[in-house]
Amino acid sequence: AKNLRTMGISTMTLLEEMIFACRFFHDTGNYLNVRNVTICAGSWMLNGKVPGATLDRGNTLEYSLFDPAEDLPHLRAREVVV
């Protein structure tokens, strides 16, 4: 998330990701974030962490907080296009 901010990339907020995930499921019948976590770097928490969304093993959408310095292979971001 820190790299995204440094590079000036505008990523989804948590609310945008929630709406997009619901719309995607409605339109396709499939889930987003089955294998990866979408980092919502457009929404920084007061504690300095960023939320991320993934699908848990029970097919429930799960939101967690991540350290913005983490650079893990399963973390992804969705760029906002206006």
Side-chain angles (χ1 to χ4, degrees):
K2 282 186 178 180
N3 291 339
L4 296 169
R5 182 182 269 184
T6 302
M7 296 178 341
I9 296 173
S10 179
T11 63
M12 285 186 169
T13 64
L14 181 58
L15 178 59
E16 289 168 332
E17 198 285 330
M18 292 169 122
I19 292 169
F20 184 66
C22 289
R23 181 60 193 243
F24 185 84
F25 182 77
H26 178 269
D27 291 348
T28 68
N30 296 314
Y31 295 101
L32 285 174
N33 309 315
V34 175
R35 293 187 186 104
N36 297 307
V37 175
T38 297
I39 290 294
C40 304
S43 296
W44 286 68
M45 301 292 122
L46 292 175
N47 65 1
K49 300 207 181 236
V50 292
T54 191
L55 196 65
D56 73 10
R57 292 180 189 183
N59 288 337
T60 302
L61 196 54
E62 179 178 89
Y63 294 93
S64 303
L65 295 177
F66 294 87
D67 184 325
E70 286 183 303
D71 188 20
L72 303 172
H74 65 282
L75 298 180
R76 303 283 189 268
R78 295 186 196 281
E79 188 171 7
V80 174
V81 179
V82 182

